[in-house]
Amino acid sequence: MSRPLPLHRGVSGMRNLSNSNDFWDSEVKDKTEKDDLDRNRASDQSYLSLRFPFRLLCPDNSPSKYGITENGFASDPFSVGSPRSRHKLTVLFLKLSLVVIVILALTGSFWWTLSISTLSRGHIFHGYRRLQEQLVLDLWDIGELSLGASRMKEIDFCPEESENHIPCFNISENLALGYSDGSEYDRQCGQGSRQSCLVLPPVNYKIPLRWPTGRDVIWVANVKITGQEVFTSGSLTKRMMMLEEEQISFRSASLMFDGVEDYSHQIAEMIGLRNESNFIQAGVRTILDIGCGYGSFGAHLFSKQLLTMCIANYESSGSQVQLTLERGLPAMIGSFNSKQLPYPSLSFDMLHCARCGIDWDEKDGIFLIEVDRVLKPGGYFVWTSPLTNVQSFLRNKEKQKRWNFVRDFAENLCWELMSQQEETVLWKKTSKKNCYNSRKPGSGPPICSKGQDVESPYYRPLQNCIGGTHSRRWLPIEERPTWPSRSNLNKNELALYGLHSEELNEDTTDSRTAVRNYWSLLSPLIFSDHPKRPGDEDPSPPYNMLRNVLDMNARYGGLNAALLEAGKSVWVMNVVPTSGPNYLPLILDRGYVGVLHDWCEAFPTYPRTYDMVHADGLLSLETSQHRRCTMLDLFTEIDRLLRPEGWILIRDAAPLVESARALTTRLKWDARIIEIESNSDERLLICQKTFFKKQAM
């Protein structure tokens, strides 16, 4: 990531660098022409000897006017003392001198090339890279133009049934293809899963309320849910909401909200803490909430500086993930059914399941093994379910059998049962690896081999072995620095990820500068003919202008760190592309949330999810690969993910940004290119998605 400096409006012209002629070749050419003119009356043999110097050693077999003997040797034409012989000797000397000059010139040029400085080589390589990028873009433009004017027109809107559509999730189609046992809910991204149209919002869609009001009140028309789904309960937190005319309220005057606070307080006491405000002191910062209802548990903990990521199955209506995201809280579609989650091993401090609908006793406990994989050493697993209620065992022997299986299996995973109160059970994962070797032979799942223990799987089949034990990141949560200190890793901690402290410090400094510049540009003034740069006199946008940001190429999580340091009320989904270096373990260990993702596939979330999308260096990363998708495919997906009037910030090489700018008109985005430093090879493309209102039929 290049260092961002103060931004300037406008687009500077592109400089075309040309190559200078070779100095030595020019000199030799001039010298040769001069000698040729001086020797224009020389013999034919001398002319041939000049063009082919080696023929002096290997003369022609053709007859000569100097005389050739029958045995093939020439009589000596250079008899000493004669004027003709002196002339011939002079010509021979000149020819030999010319050969020596050429050899010296080539040798000097060779050594001069070897002595080029490292900086010069860098400029040459940089120029070569720019030429490569320009070649790719030129070929792409040629391909676009060859398809005719029909490809250059604006992209059409999707039909109405696509307003909540997520590519790669089609349950009916998966069932028809033979998927079953829960795998029909998994992502199936085939070639036909891409969306080539723009998703319109629902008829009565309204811009979400700003944080923190929007956390507790959402517009009913913005999500797909029925009144019946509002009042029917699945999970504990689904019941903690009220329907009020055009809004759904999560801060009702009833005792429901107090129920979340009491529940969180109960979990803290089960750990041995005074209340949930002390979770951070116990090493808890990030929580994976499985089947999160509508996010009330995470919403309450957010004020305690705890970051809760909600995951749940895809639902066509009444989606837990969609409502949680509409509240401005972290969420994404995820499933335990058949594949591992797209998180590294040892990622979260706590996993929470409150009536989440998962039968942990099924499939020989393989779902519990996946919980163990993503849980950090010393982390906690909280399970709230009627199955754990001791009183129910007396009436239902089947429930007791299922509970006994989960309890015994957790023990074989080296989990400590810390507390059980009413319907809630809390386990603590072991902090010591030697616990696995001390188990009775044949009890519990085996430890994964190094080949099986993939630290960062990407929708890999579930493994029936204990993972994470080979990781260098095995460190109990109680031994890690508490939040927010854990976001600043020391030299020894960075070495676990193959990084030096200078690299992280540089990324942090660059991100701080970028955030200051970005924030001053989040104003519609940049799309007007306003004569001055936004931010010079106008007030800055409010701190809570954004609820969330999708960072499409997060690197080390620098943007996330800079936004928090600047006091912005925002959380960041840090995405690490599968096509680049994987620093997702580092991001999660710093106390942020993130996920691996292939940007040639649809992101596992609903339309209109994010307030801002940030892509720094993503275009360069994707074009350097032999990708199976185009820039237009990527931008169409960005449009689906972004809410109306949301922002897009794309920072990349100037030629790539210029091509991206050409696509924005097809997507109906307002866009402007901002110059970054007068001598920079990068540009910033800042866009705003237009709010197109669908007319009621």
Side-chain angles (χ1 to χ4, degrees):
M1 177 175 180
S2 65
R3 297 183 180 89
L5 291 179
L7 305 174
H8 305 280
R9 296 184 63 198
V11 184
S12 63
M14 297 296 295
R15 291 187 301 167
N16 294 323
L17 301 178
S18 59
N19 295 325
S20 60
N21 293 327
D22 188 85
F23 172 78
W24 292 106
D25 288 347
S26 176
E27 185 178 61
V28 171
K29 181 178 179 181
D30 294 341
K31 180 69 176 177
T32 304
E33 291 176 352
K34 182 178 179 181
D35 290 344
D36 285 345
L37 292 173
D38 292 340
R39 296 191 299 274
N40 58 2
R41 289 183 297 176
S43 64
D44 293 340
Q45 178 67 31
S46 299
Y47 171 72
L48 292 173
S49 299
L50 179 63
R51 292 187 61 192
F52 306 102
F54 290 102
R55 295 188 64 177
L56 290 171
L57 301 178
C58 304
D60 284 341
N61 292 330
S62 59
S64 171
K65 63 181 179 180
Y66 300 123
I68 302 294
T69 62
E70 292 181 358
N71 60 10
F73 292 94
S75 60
D76 188 342
F78 307 114
S79 56
V80 179
S82 65
R84 189 177 185 84
S85 63
R86 286 196 299 272
H87 174 73
K88 294 297 182 181
L89 284 172
T90 301
V91 172
L92 178 61
F93 176 76
L94 290 173
K95 289 188 284 187
L96 290 174
S97 300
L98 181 62
V99 172
V100 171
I101 290 172
V102 171
I103 292 174
L104 290 175
L106 293 174
T107 304
S109 177
F110 173 73
W111 286 109
W112 176 81
T113 302
L114 291 180
S115 63
I116 293 177
S117 66
T118 303
L119 181 61
S120 298
R121 290 198 300 270
H123 288 314
I124 292 172
F125 173 79
H126 191 54
Y128 175 69
R129 180 184 173 191
R130 290 178 60 189
L131 288 174
Q132 280 186 316
E133 292 174 348
Q134 189 62 51
L135 176 61
V136 171
L137 291 172
D138 290 344
L139 292 173
W140 183 82
D141 291 337
I142 291 171
E144 286 286 316
L145 292 172
S146 66
L147 294 174
S150 61
R151 278 296 302 271
M152 304 306 293
K153 68 178 183 180
E154 290 186 344
I155 301 175
D156 294 331
F157 290 113
C158 299
E160 183 177 352
E161 56 268 21
S162 298
E163 65 184 27
N164 293 292
H165 175 63
I166 306 175
C168 302
F169 289 92
N170 192 323
I171 298 175
S172 58
E173 182 178 326
N174 291 343
L175 288 171
L177 293 173
Y179 293 101
S180 59
D181 296 331
S183 59
E184 66 270 19
Y185 295 99
D186 288 338
R187 299 172 77 245
Q188 308 292 341
C189 292
Q191 289 297 324
S193 61
R194 292 197 195 113
Q195 195 161 286
S196 57
C197 55
L198 303 181
V199 179
L200 278 171
V203 174
N204 297 317
Y205 181 87
K206 296 181 181 179
I207 300 300
L209 301 171
R210 283 186 181 170
W211 185 276
T213 305
R215 177 190 60 191
D216 301 321
V217 178
I218 65 173
W219 301 107
V220 175
N222 289 9
V223 295
K224 188 176 182 181
I225 190 170
T226 65
Q228 182 66 22
E229 287 170 331
V230 170
F231 296 112
T232 56
S233 172
S235 75
L236 175 67
T237 54
K238 273 187 178 182
R239 296 199 300 265
M240 299 174 184
M241 54 193 290
M242 291 184 64
L243 185 62
E244 300 174 351
E245 297 181 356
E246 295 182 341
Q247 298 177 336
I248 296 177
S249 175
F250 299 88
R251 55 175 187 183
S252 64
S254 68
L255 297 176
M256 292 182 178
F257 184 78
D258 294 334
V260 177
E261 185 172 357
D262 291 341
Y263 176 67
S264 304
H265 188 85
Q266 177 190 5
I267 294 173
E269 289 183 335
M270 293 171 74
I271 294 176
L273 305 174
R274 183 175 180 180
N275 54 48
E276 63 271 30
S277 299
N278 299 117
F279 274 140
I280 287 180
Q281 281 66 42
V284 177
R285 155 67 178 172
T286 56
I287 301 171
L288 185 65
D289 194 1
I290 307 165
C292 60
Y294 296 139
S296 294
F297 182 65
H300 173 64
L301 295 179
F302 200 91
S303 61
K304 312 297 181 184
Q305 300 187 49
L306 300 173
L307 197 56
T308 304
M309 169 62 73
C310 162
I311 61 167
N313 280 337
Y314 166 76
E315 298 166 288
S316 59
S317 179
S319 168
Q320 305 171 64
V321 171
Q322 187 180 35
L323 265 79
T324 301
L325 286 165
E326 188 64 24
R327 298 181 66 182
L329 299 166
M332 63 175 287
I333 299 173
S335 173
F336 278 85
N337 294 317
S338 62
K339 297 177 182 177
Q340 291 180 321
L341 297 170
Y343 308 120
S345 301
L346 319 180
S347 292
F348 295 94
D349 305 316
M350 177 184 287
L351 266 76
H352 173 255
C353 164
R355 300 188 180 183
C356 59
I358 295 180
D359 296 322
W360 299 107
D361 58 310
E362 289 189 355
K363 296 187 178 181
D364 299 324
I366 198 169
F367 301 143
L368 289 170
I369 296 176
E370 178 65 2
V371 169
D372 183 85
R373 184 187 71 82
V374 298
L375 197 59
K376 291 182 183 294
Y380 303 96
F381 177 52
V382 182
W383 182 28
T384 298
S385 169
L387 188 65
T388 64
N389 193 325
V390 179
Q391 298 298 323
S392 66
F393 297 163
L394 302 177
R395 301 185 298 272
N396 191 320
K397 296 298 182 183
E398 180 63 27
K399 284 186 177 181
Q400 184 176 5
K401 180 181 178 181
R402 294 177 62 190
W403 159 246
N404 289 340
F405 175 87
V406 174
R407 182 195 58 197
D408 295 342
F409 197 89
E411 183 179 352
N412 290 327
L413 288 172
C414 287
W415 292 1
E416 177 190 357
L417 179 58
M418 294 191 67
S419 180
Q420 183 174 3
Q421 296 182 14
E422 300 175 347
E423 294 186 351
T424 302
V425 184
L426 186 143
W427 285 277
K428 182 180 176 65
K429 179 178 175 176
T430 184
S431 300
K432 301 177 181 178
K433 295 182 183 180
N434 57 12
C435 174
Y436 301 116
N437 297 325
S438 64
R439 297 176 300 173
K440 295 180 180 179
S443 62
I447 297 176
C448 293
S449 64
K450 286 188 176 181
Q452 293 174 303
D453 198 357
V454 178
E455 183 169 61
S456 296
Y458 185 68
Y459 295 103
R460 189 166 169 256
L462 290 170
Q463 302 293 303
N464 196 17
C465 58
I466 298 174
T469 58
H470 298 283
S471 175
R472 298 172 62 191
R473 297 167 44 243
W474 183 283
L475 183 66
I477 61 172
E478 56 266 20
E479 296 181 16
R480 292 179 179 270
T482 57
W483 176 262
S485 299
R486 66 187 288 182
S487 64
N488 302 313
L489 303 180
N490 60 40
K491 181 179 180 180
N492 295 332
E493 291 170 331
L494 287 173
L496 298 177
Y497 315 96
L499 284 178
H500 298 288
S501 55
E502 293 80 7
E503 296 175 274
L504 184 63
N505 292 338
E506 181 180 1
D507 180 70
T508 301
T509 302
D510 293 347
S511 298
R512 287 170 181 165
T513 305
V515 165
R516 285 196 299 269
N517 292 330
Y518 292 164
W519 212 258
S520 68
L521 292 169
L522 295 183
S523 167
L525 284 176
I526 66 168
F527 303 117
S528 69
D529 294 326
H530 206 276
K532 65 183 179 62
R533 178 176 176 269
D536 291 346
E537 297 176 6
D538 300 311
S540 298
Y543 76 99
N544 61 345
M545 181 178 182
L546 304 174
R547 303 167 304 168
N548 54 24
V549 175
L550 177 68
D551 194 356
M552 300 179 70
N553 186 24
R555 292 191 177 93
Y556 314 137
L559 180 72
N560 196 154
L563 285 168
L564 291 178
E565 185 178 301
K568 310 304 181 187
S569 180
V570 62
W571 64 270
V572 179
M573 174 64 84
N574 297 281
V575 181
V576 175
T578 56
S579 56
N582 180 16
Y583 289 105
L584 184 58
L586 167 66
I587 291 172
L588 292 167
D589 289 348
R590 295 183 72 182
Y592 310 140
V593 293
V595 68
L596 279 175
H597 184 64
D598 179 357
W599 281 116
C600 279
E601 298 176 352
F603 195 70
T605 193
Y606 290 82
R608 305 171 299 278
T609 290
Y610 291 97
D611 295 342
M612 188 173 83
V613 174
H614 178 253
D616 185 355
L618 180 67
L619 301 182
S620 294
L621 177 64
E622 294 297 321
T623 55
S624 66
Q625 309 290 326
H626 297 289
R627 308 302 290 163
R628 62 186 187 277
C629 57
T630 66
M631 192 184 295
L632 183 60
D633 294 328
L634 183 64
F635 281 20
T636 305
E637 175 64 5
I638 291 175
D639 187 87
R640 185 184 73 85
L641 300 175
L642 195 66
R643 69 162 174 83
E645 298 186 0
W647 299 92
I648 307 104
L649 298 174
I650 298 174
R651 177 174 174 170
D652 223 302
L656 290 167
V657 170
E658 294 288 350
S659 291
R661 172 65 180 86
L663 287 178
T664 59
T665 56
R666 301 184 61 189
L667 294 156
K668 307 174 179 66
W669 295 348
D670 294 324
R672 174 164 289 186
I673 292 179
I674 308 295
E675 196 175 85
I676 306 175
E677 305 176 353
S678 60
N679 62 343
S680 175
D681 293 324
E682 292 187 343
R683 298 289 184 272
L684 175 67
L685 176 63
I686 181 166
C687 313
Q688 188 174 32
K689 179 179 175 179
T690 307
F691 185 4
F692 290 99
K693 293 187 177 182
K694 186 188 298 183
Q695 299 298 322
M697 300 300 291

